[in-house]
Amino acid sequence: MKRHLSSTVALLLTMTASSTFAQTSGAHGFLTVNGGYQLTANNFADGAVRRQYAEDGRVDVDYDVKTGPAFDIAGGMRVWKQLGLGVGVSRFTTSTSATLTGTIPRPFFFNQLRSISGSVAGLDREELAVHVQARGMLEAGSHLEMMVFGGPSFFHTKQSVVTDITIAESYPYDEAAFQSAVTTESKASKIGFNAGGDVAFFFTRQIGIGVTAQFAGATVNIPGVGGAKHDVKIGGGNVGGGLRLRF
Amino acid sequence: MKRAALALVCAFVVLVFTQPRTLAQEPQLLPGVGVAGDIRSSLLSIAASSEETRRVIPLMDQWLTDGTLARRVAYDDPDVPGRRHEVFVQYHDGIPVYGGDVTRQTERGVTLSIFGTVYSDINVDVSPRLTSEEAIEALGRASQSTRVTAAAPSLMILPTLDGTYELTYSAPMLDGRTYFVSAKDGQLVQRVNNIKYQSAVGSGRGVLGDLKKVSATQSGGAFRTRDSLRPATILTLDSRSSIATFTRLANGGRWVDADLAADADNNWTDPAIVDAHAYMGWVYDYYYRTHRYQGLDNRNSPMIGVVANSTTLPDNAAFVPPPYGPDGTGGMFFGESSTGYPMTALDAVAHELTHGVITFALAQRTGRSLGLSTPLEFGPSAVIVGGRSFSCTTTTYLGVPFFCNNGRFVIVSDHAGALNEGLADIFGTAVEFVYETPGSGPQRADYLIGEDIPRPGGFSAPIRSLDNPGSLPVELSTRFRYPDNYARRLEFALVVSNGRLLVSPLAIVGGEGEILAADDDLGVHWNSTVISHAFYLAIQGGQNRTSGRTVQGVGVNNRSQIEQVFFRAIRDLIPSGVTFPQMAAALRQAANDLYGASGAPTRAVDQALTAVGL
């Protein structure tokens, strides 16, 4: 299963860590706004026994969680020399599709399972994360600034999942066809971590642009087919760029 | 109206001889004087060849013009596009003639085949002397029972043994038989047993232990044996709680939800219920898949099975036609051995359901179920019984003279009944081969009937064998064995008592005779193996032990071709009073219809029928 990147906006509260920086910019606070791209496709699979007609069949669902655009905003301030503290919020949404395969028992005979397959679209995923970060900040001249950061992330995710299916079948029940999926929106929260780096170029003392790359992830446990819970990874690698402000 | 006789002599047996008849009563055959008699012919048209069909076509036109025949139903052929079937029923002055019906197959207006019976020389006053109310009383006296339905008795012209006809009232009675009483004086003229029994031998050793699904429905906090997943609702009722319940369900009484078998958690622990309910569904599936036939009546009417116990239905299973059975719609009854083992083996269930299919298929076409068909035939002039020779003209049975024609015994058996049983065995076997692995032993597909009914210490001996009928005696106490050839069928000699022809218990096979303790309703099970052995030969091939003729069968992989032939004959061709020769002609026609004159199944069917003497 691929990881997918959560877009992260790091709001850095950066303490002055570099006399050069202090001498160069004299700024204590900063704000970054990034449009980004989640690089990690957090595909996941679910499968469970599905009992019908007094016999066990099975349903397996492969979720295709595509990569996609993300948004983050972060701010912070320098707290001591090149060290700062910040907090950021990131949000990633995508429409998930799922491929479904399964075996359905026959109503009148044992051990004559029928195969089904199908697909489900529109299974929305939303990842919202709050990242608390310690930042190491380095100014190279008056225009260039680099930061590395890391810390805990508080994830909250919503994922629409297939919990059951409906079957189209008729006598003599030689074939069964997937008809529709019963879905539910599962919600889960989990603490993970984040780490990354940021490079910014300032045109003026307060305004610049920058690029960032970070990884923030966690594993949540959500119910799926038949109600059984399973692990789903959220977050992942993320790259982005945008506005940099310092004050 | 005078008709030309074409082929066979056909008449109906009135009553079986009811004197005590045990082997201990010696001597039963005594010197005496036989009664000379003459048998008038009725017209029986058999389209065994196109020439014969052409000969009957102008007669058909005449009969339709003069009102002898009236079209009852017409329908397009479900197997062969462009073909059409029409069924005509015989009337005389507006009164139906029992057993008189004709089925015509056409293609673009050209007649291809005609099967049926049209009785000739009917000269009966159709004005009854008895009122309907008086007829009801007469029927009650004759049957010692009451009518199943409140409908008025039917007026019917009944062909009698001696070639004459009698205006009768008839009605199905609660003893399971239809009675015919004279519309002139109320005397009993005829009775027909409506219940088709499966003579399974009991004494089982418990369930076979195989796991199978039970299609049930949940209601009232319990699961009940109501299969609603198939197009026809299949219901399994449990009548073992009381004799009153069995009696109510058998005699047309209403069934209620409480009659359905129930289980608290859908894990069924009653093996009789499991087998009966599951197997009825399997048989439904067989007819649907193989013959595109839906349910007992091809209309997906509910199919009702009733599990009985050894008190109400010992060592047997049965199909009871309407107006009997739950709600008067007919039903399958599965009994129990005296040692408590259910008569619910797969071939037994399929056998009984096939009786239902035959009953409804014939009734929809002809208005009648497959009824009594007892063509009189001429036996030997003398028979060997216990090493002694008894001549027809010089022998009596318990002092009653035998009926002789030119010095020969006049003998009879029920052809339609035997064919009904044979066809039930054929499709009972066919169902086995769909769901079981070929072989020998429990739950293996084979050509034996009733072999999977358990008994203490093992399994029951089969009651019939389609591959080697002669390997089994028809009764343990007799040397007569199931026939594998028409020439070896069991027939019963007629006697004359008080001016009326009766059936004696003297069974005759070839030149040998034996007084039997039972007549098997004129040999319906005993003679069934003639046709069922032909079915076996048409599939498997081989040599008939009696005729020595060899058959090239279609092979096991093509068995459904032969099943199609037999089913087509039932559904579309045979008349209600079918005889063995008519059945053979219908089968040849059906094979030709489906596979052409040069087709391998047509050749196999023809060879098989020839091999068994038909």
Side-chain angles (χ1 to χ4, degrees):
Chain A
M1 181 175 18
K2 295 179 182 178
R3 288 179 175 276
H4 70 122
L5 293 174
S6 65
S7 62
T8 303
V9 175
L11 177 61
L12 297 177
L13 296 171
T14 308
M15 300 174 66
T16 301
S18 163
S19 57
T20 304
F21 179 87
Q23 290 169 353
T24 303
S25 64
H28 288 82
F30 66 90
L31 182 69
T32 68
V33 179
N34 285 314
Y37 195 85
Q38 184 119 312
L39 297 174
T40 304
N42 274 330
N43 296 346
F44 66 101
D46 180 22
V49 168
R50 180 177 182 276
R51 192 167 181 82
Q52 187 176 11
Y53 300 137
E55 187 177 5
D56 286 345
R58 186 171 179 84
V59 172
D60 290 291
V61 187
D62 287 314
Y63 293 86
D64 181 16
V65 184
K66 290 182 169 56
T67 59
F71 173 79
D72 66 61
I73 183 169
M77 62 185 302
R78 193 187 304 270
V79 294
W80 184 68
K81 296 185 178 179
Q82 279 90 9
L83 291 177
L85 287 177
V87 63
V89 177
S90 65
R91 184 170 183 269
F92 168 68
T93 62
T94 187
S95 182
T96 306
S97 62
T99 302
L100 185 146
T101 58
T103 53
I104 307 297
R106 288 179 195 245
F108 307 133
F109 299 96
F110 282 107
N111 303 317
Q112 295 184 15
L113 300 176
R114 299 165 291 171
S115 297
I116 60 162
S117 63
S119 60
V120 184
L123 299 170
D124 293 335
R125 168 178 282 210
E126 177 183 331
E127 296 175 2
L128 186 65
V130 176
H131 311 281
V132 177
Q133 297 164 330
R135 291 220 170 198
M137 310 169 73
L138 176 63
E139 288 189 10
S142 59
H143 295 286
L144 193 62
E145 181 178 292
M146 293 173 288
M147 287 188 283
V148 293
F149 51 83
S153 296
F154 301 90
F155 284 95
H156 180 73
T157 186
K158 297 175 184 176
Q159 171 71 59
S160 293
V161 294
V162 175
T163 55
D164 199 1
I165 57 174
T166 61
I167 300 298
E169 60 180 355
S170 61
Y171 184 84
Y173 305 103
D174 290 333
E175 296 177 348
F178 167 72
Q179 188 174 49
S180 66
V182 179
T183 62
T184 188
E185 186 181 70
S186 294
K187 299 175 183 177
S189 298
K190 192 73 178 285
I191 297 176
F193 70 98
N194 71 89
D198 187 280
V199 177
F201 180 82
F202 286 87
F203 307 108
T204 68
R205 181 178 174 82
Q206 283 89 24
I207 300 173
I209 58 172
V211 295
T212 186
Q214 76 165 9
F215 183 89
T219 300
V220 296
N221 196 245
I222 61 175
V225 176
K229 289 191 172 184
H230 57 282
D231 289 343
V232 173
K233 292 187 182 304
I234 56 176
N238 178 296
V239 295
L243 182 65
R244 300 291 184 269
L245 299 175
R246 59 188 179 189
F247 44 85
Chain B
M1 198 181 315
K2 187 70 179 176
R3 309 286 182 212
L6 284 184
L8 291 182
V9 173
C10 184
F12 288 83
V13 173
V14 178
L15 294 170
V16 294
F17 191 60
T18 55
Q19 295 290 332
R21 47 189 192 208
T22 63
L23 291 174
Q25 287 181 306
E26 293 292 353
Q28 293 176 307
L29 298 178
L30 299 169
V33 180
V35 176
D38 181 35
I39 301 167
R40 284 197 282 169
S41 302
S42 63
L43 178 62
L44 183 70
S45 59
I46 300 175
S49 66
S50 56
E51 179 183 346
E52 200 164 299
T53 300
R54 282 195 297 273
R55 192 165 52 170
V56 176
I57 287 173
L59 288 172
M60 280 288 297
D61 293 338
Q62 181 185 338
W63 293 332
L64 289 170
T65 302
D66 66 20
T68 299
L69 292 179
R71 190 165 77 171
R72 183 178 185 280
V73 67
Y75 60 94
D76 292 331
D77 194 308
D79 294 326
V80 185
R83 297 280 180 92
R84 190 161 176 79
H85 298 273
E86 298 167 286
V87 181
F88 306 90
V89 173
Q90 185 180 5
Y91 289 87
H92 174 72
D93 289 346
I95 305 296
V97 180
Y98 184 87
D101 55 68
V102 174
T103 296
R104 178 169 70 182
Q105 181 184 203
T106 59
E107 186 172 35
R108 287 185 285 276
V110 177
T111 299
L112 299 178
S113 66
I114 300 173
F115 296 93
T117 302
V118 176
Y119 289 94
S120 62
D121 301 330
I122 300 177
N123 185 17
V124 175
D125 180 1
V126 296
S127 301
R129 293 180 189 168
L130 265 61
T131 64
S132 182
E133 289 71 23
E134 290 170 332
I136 292 170
E137 291 179 12
L139 288 163
R141 284 195 303 271
S143 64
Q144 298 295 302
S145 183
T146 55
R147 288 175 302 152
V148 176
T149 68
S154 303
L155 261 181
M156 180 93 63
I157 293 173
L158 187 73
T160 60
L161 269 176
D162 57 3
T164 61
Y165 304 92
E166 190 151 356
L167 185 66
T168 63
Y169 280 106
S170 70
M173 308 301 282
L174 281 177
D175 67 349
R177 297 169 186 267
T178 294
Y179 285 77
F180 297 78
V181 296
S182 169
K184 294 177 181 175
D185 57 17
Q187 291 297 306
L188 176 63
V189 180
Q190 171 74 289
R191 70 180 176 207
V192 177
N193 190 352
N194 295 314
I195 302 174
K196 309 302 178 190
Y197 283 98
Q198 164 74 1
S199 300
V201 177
S203 297
R205 190 169 70 88
V207 297
L208 303 183
D210 57 318
L211 183 65
K212 55 173 68 78
K213 294 189 176 184
V214 176
S215 181
T217 55
Q218 189 173 17
S219 65
F223 294 89
R224 297 184 183 276
T225 43
R226 183 200 305 266
D227 176 2
S228 55
L229 291 175
R230 290 181 169 90
T233 301
I234 297 175
L235 306 154
T236 300
L237 312 183
D238 190 348
S239 71
R240 292 171 295 182
S241 59
S242 72
I243 293 176
T245 300
F246 175 87
T247 303
R248 169 172 52 86
L249 297 174
N251 289 325
R254 293 195 65 81
W255 70 271
V256 295
D257 271 2
D259 294 323
L260 289 165
D263 188 273
D265 59 3
N266 221 9
N267 291 316
W268 297 79
T269 55
D270 187 326
I273 295 297
V274 170
D275 278 351
H277 194 59
Y279 287 155
M280 282 199 292
W282 293 15
V283 178
Y284 177 93
D285 296 343
Y286 164 78
Y287 277 104
Y288 181 90
R289 290 178 182 280
T290 306
H291 305 293
R292 299 193 303 280
Y293 192 85
Q294 301 183 51
L296 296 179
D297 58 359
N298 202 24
R299 295 170 181 168
N300 282 324
S301 295
M303 295 166 51
I304 306 178
V306 180
V307 174
N309 57 27
S310 59
T311 301
T312 51
L313 191 56
D315 297 324
N316 223 324
F319 170 75
V320 295
Y324 305 100
D327 281 355
T329 58
M332 285 64 65
F333 284 72
F334 307 107
E336 188 179 56
S337 73
S338 55
T339 49
Y341 292 105
M343 299 290 153
T344 51
L346 179 56
D347 57 1
V349 173
H351 177 108
E352 302 309 339
L353 262 73
T354 299
H355 277 313
V357 169
I358 293 169
T359 295
F360 283 100
L362 266 292
Q364 285 171 8
R365 267 199 303 122
T366 68
R368 299 146 187 173
S369 59
L370 196 57
L372 199 66
S373 170
T374 52
L376 298 188
E377 293 165 272
F378 305 117
S381 57
V383 293
I384 305 297
V385 181
R388 292 176 54 196
S389 177
F390 293 89
S391 163
C392 181
T393 55
T394 60
T395 305
T396 64
Y397 172 68
L398 296 177
V400 180
F402 283 97
F403 182 51
C404 311
N405 185 285
N406 292 327
R408 298 167 67 180
F409 285 99
V410 178
I411 54 179
V412 70
S413 65
D414 181 3
H415 285 216
L419 290 165
N420 201 343
E421 295 299 334
L423 292 167
D425 279 355
I426 284 168
F427 288 100
T429 299
V431 169
E432 270 196 10
F433 275 92
V434 170
Y435 297 108
E436 296 178 346
T437 304
S440 59
Q443 295 191 302
R444 289 289 181 269
D446 52 34
Y447 289 94
L448 303 173
I449 302 298
E451 78 286 1
D452 278 345
I453 295 172
R455 70 190 324 177
F459 284 85
S460 166
I463 59 172
R464 284 184 292 279
S465 167
L466 277 59
D467 56 340
N468 185 10
S471 62
L472 297 170
V474 297
E475 282 190 326
L476 291 177
S477 58
T478 178
R479 61 204 162 98
F480 288 151
R481 309 185 84 76
Y482 282 97
D484 66 356
N485 192 286
Y486 188 54
R488 299 291 302 169
R489 69 192 183 281
L490 283 85
E491 302 265 5
F492 294 87
L494 296 181
V495 293
V496 183
S497 177
N498 297 324
R500 182 159 276 183
L501 293 180
L502 305 174
V503 178
S504 80
L506 174 61
I508 297 175
V509 177
E512 297 189 6
E514 189 173 330
I515 301 293
L516 298 182
D519 69 1
D520 185 36
D521 286 332
L522 298 182
V524 294
H525 294 96
W526 299 343
N527 290 332
S528 69
T529 49
V530 174
I531 201 69
S532 61
H533 183 55
F535 171 79
Y536 164 81
L537 289 173
I539 294 172
Q540 301 286 150
Q543 189 176 42
N544 181 262
R545 291 172 177 79
T546 297
S547 68
R549 289 181 176 273
T550 299
V551 178
Q552 184 181 351
V554 295
V556 294
N557 294 330
N558 298 315
R559 65 171 53 255
S560 67
Q561 294 175 337
I562 303 302
E563 294 167 17
Q564 299 279 4
V565 169
F566 276 76
F567 187 76
R568 180 177 175 82
I570 295 170
R571 188 192 55 201
D572 299 322
L573 300 179
I574 61 173
S576 62
V578 64
T579 63
F580 273 104
Q582 282 179 312
M583 186 78 217
L587 289 169
R588 287 185 169 98
Q589 179 69 48
N592 192 62
D593 291 343
L594 294 175
Y595 302 107
S598 59
T602 307
R603 182 207 61 226
V605 167
D606 179 61
Q607 289 181 354
L609 292 168
T610 302
V612 301
L614 290 169

